[in-house]
Amino acid sequence: MTQTKGLEGIVAATSKISSIIDGQLTYGGYTIDDLAEHATFEEIVFLLWNDRLPKQEELDQLAKALVDEAHVDDAVLETLKKAPKTANAMAAIRTAVSQLALYDEASEDMSREANYAKAIKLQAQIATLVTAYARIKKGLEPVAPKAGLSYAANFLYMLNGEEPTEVAEKAFNQALVLHADHELNASTFTARVCVATLSDIYSGVTAAMGALKGPLHGGANEAVMKMLVEIGSVEKVEEYVHNKIENKEKIMGFGHRVYKDGDPRAKHLQEMSRQLTAQIGEPQWYEMSIKIDEIMQAEKGLKPNVDFYSASTYHALGLDTELFTPIFAVSRMSGWLAHILEQYSDNRLIRPRADYIGETHRTYVSINER
C-alpha cells in the first residue's frame, strides 16, 4: 500500500461542487472572483446544492425559506442559555446543532426531498444559533429574522438588533460567499465520511463542526486577531514577527497546503479589511496586517490565506473574536450540506487503510511474568 501522511495529494471523491485547479477556486465552474464580486450568498447556496444559479423565482423562494425556517425550538435555546459562561463558543453551538435533530420529525427520513428540506432548515437555523448564543452571553434575548432582508443583513440584524449599513451588509455577504465551500477540506471530508455510513444529515454537520473547531482549520482567524491585539501597534510588528520566526513559532493565517502561489480569496478580504477598518476609525488593524504580510512573504516566502484578513474584517464589523469560527460555520454550512447531498446521491462507505508500523510477532505473557 502507498502511504501519504495527511492524505495529501490523494483524490478521495469526484464532485461537481467546487474545484481548486492551478490555484483557482471555483464553485460549480464559476470563479471565486466572479462570484465574490457579483453573487449574493443565497445564490451561492442554490448553486452549491443544485449545480446551477437560480432563476429569480427560485431565488425568492429560497430567500423566503431561509427566513421562514429560522425558528429554533425553545429547548435548544435553553441549552445555550444554560451553557457555562466559560464554554467554548464552537462547542456550545456544535452541541445545539446536534440537538436540532431531536426536534425534527423528519430527521431520520433519508429521501432526497426530506434531506433537501433539512438542508434549508440547517442553513437557516445555524444563523439563529450563532446570533442567539452571542446575545445570550451578553444577557440579551435572541432576535428573530426580518422578512425582506438578505441572509447577510439578517445575520447582522439578529446579532445587533438593528439593520446593518449597506457597506457592512455587502462586506459580510462577500465573506459568506468566500467561505462557502473549499473542496475536500478537513470539515467537509469529515462530513462525507460520517454520512457515508448512511448516518443522518444532522450527524454529518455536527461532525463537520467538530473538525472546524480546531485551530488548524476554522480557529485560525481567532488566533490572528488575538495576535494583532497582542502586538498592539504597527511599530511593534517587526520585532514581534522576527521573534516568532527566530523561535520557530507559527504565525497563524499564512500558507496553505493546496495553494502554493497564494489563496485567491485573501485579496478580497484584504480590501474589505482596508475599507471597514478605515470606516470605523481603526486602520491600525489593517496596517498591522499588511506589515505582517510583507515580512512573512519576504522572510518565509509565505502568503496569507483566507483566515488572515478575515480576522480584521470581522473585528471591524463589530464581531466578537469568539464568534469568528462559528461565523465560518454559518457560511461553510452551505458547502457541507452540498457535499452531504452529493455523497448520499452516489454513496460508498469511506474506509481507508493504515500503514502499520508497530511491533510484530509478539506472544502473550501472563501478568505475573511481565
Side-chain angles (χ1 to χ4, degrees):
M1 294 187 293
T2 301
Q3 185 267 337
T4 303
K5 194 170 184 179
L7 299 182
E8 184 170 357
I10 298 296
V11 175
T14 58
S15 178
K16 292 182 177 181
I17 298 168
S18 68
S19 68
I20 304 167
I21 300 172
D22 296 329
Q24 179 62 67
L25 173 63
T26 73
Y27 297 165
Y30 298 91
T31 68
I32 196 62
D33 292 334
D34 192 12
L35 295 174
E37 185 65 30
H38 300 110
T40 64
F41 181 61
E42 291 89 332
E43 287 179 291
I44 297 302
V45 171
F46 191 96
L47 169 64
L48 295 176
W49 297 357
N50 297 280
D51 193 31
R52 62 179 177 84
L53 289 168
K55 297 177 181 178
Q56 187 64 57
E57 183 180 358
E58 293 170 323
L59 182 60
D60 292 344
Q61 288 175 349
L62 177 60
K64 183 178 184 299
L66 290 173
V67 174
D68 293 344
E69 298 292 349
H71 174 74
V72 169
D73 193 280
D74 288 343
V76 179
L77 294 179
E78 198 61 32
T79 296
L80 292 179
K81 291 178 180 179
K82 289 180 178 178
K85 296 296 182 183
T86 56
N88 177 279
M90 272 296 284
I93 295 163
R94 179 200 63 215
T95 301
V97 167
S98 179
Q99 195 177 1
L100 291 174
L102 303 180
Y103 302 94
D104 185 348
E105 293 180 356
S107 62
E108 300 297 326
D109 186 339
M110 296 296 285
S111 68
R112 166 76 186 185
E113 294 74 22
N115 280 326
Y116 196 90
K118 284 179 279 186
I120 292 174
K121 282 186 177 182
L122 278 161
Q123 189 64 62
Q125 291 172 333
I126 185 65
T128 301
L129 292 177
V130 172
T131 56
Y133 179 77
R135 292 181 65 82
I136 288 166
K137 284 210 62 171
K138 294 178 179 178
L140 302 170
E141 283 298 309
V143 173
K146 182 182 288 188
L149 293 184
S150 69
Y151 190 92
N154 248 326
F155 182 91
L156 296 174
Y157 170 71
M158 290 191 290
L159 186 68
N160 300 316
E162 59 184 35
E163 294 186 28
T165 65
E166 187 177 335
V167 173
E169 179 185 359
K170 181 180 178 182
F172 192 61
N173 177 80
Q174 196 172 62
L176 292 173
V177 170
L178 291 169
H179 286 89
D181 196 57
H182 205 232
E183 204 212 48
L184 286 190
N185 56 85
S187 56
T188 298
F189 188 61
T190 300
R192 293 190 76 135
V193 170
C194 179
V195 301
T197 69
L198 295 185
S199 189
D200 65 286
I201 199 168
Y202 289 100
S203 295
V205 296
T206 302
M209 289 193 74
L212 187 71
K213 181 175 175 289
L216 294 183
H217 190 8
N221 52 12
E222 289 185 47
V224 171
M225 195 63 223
K226 289 174 182 176
M227 174 181 67
L228 293 175
V229 171
E230 186 180 342
I231 293 171
S233 68
V234 178
E235 294 73 28
K236 296 178 181 179
V237 167
E238 195 160 349
E239 180 182 3
Y240 180 94
V241 175
H242 281 132
N243 283 340
K244 287 279 189 182
I245 292 173
E246 288 173 13
N247 293 326
K248 301 188 185 306
E249 296 178 43
K250 186 176 179 64
I251 300 285
M252 299 301 285
F254 285 88
H256 198 285
R257 184 179 288 186
V258 176
Y259 300 116
K260 305 308 178 187
D261 295 317
D263 189 328
R265 302 166 294 177
K267 62 180 179 291
H268 297 284
L269 287 157
Q270 180 180 336
E271 177 58 20
M272 276 191 277
S273 172
R274 185 189 69 78
Q275 291 183 24
L276 290 169
T277 55
Q279 186 179 65
I280 66 169
E282 298 180 15
Q284 70 271 21
W285 306 115
Y286 172 75
E287 292 165 0
M288 278 191 280
S289 300
I290 286 291
K291 187 68 175 176
I292 296 168
D293 188 351
E294 291 172 349
I295 295 172
M296 288 298 287
Q297 291 201 48
E299 300 285 332
K300 303 292 289 182
L302 291 175
K303 295 183 179 181
N305 56 41
V306 71
D307 298 306
F308 186 67
Y309 286 104
S310 68
S312 50
T313 296
Y314 287 169
H315 178 78
L317 284 169
L319 305 173
D320 294 335
T321 303
E322 70 166 352
L323 289 183
F324 287 6
T325 308
I327 287 168
F328 194 156
V330 170
S331 173
R332 188 56 59 83
M333 180 66 75
S334 61
W336 293 335
L337 291 165
H339 282 268
I340 288 171
L341 294 173
E342 187 176 64
Q343 184 68 38
Y344 283 147
S345 70
D346 184 26
N347 187 55
R348 182 172 174 80
L349 183 69
I350 300 171
R351 205 294 191 190
R353 298 290 305 281
D355 189 12
Y356 178 71
I357 58 171
E359 297 287 343
T360 59
H361 302 103
R362 285 170 155 175
T363 56
Y364 182 84
V365 177
S366 61
I367 194 165
N368 60 344
E369 295 178 12
R370 295 176 201 163

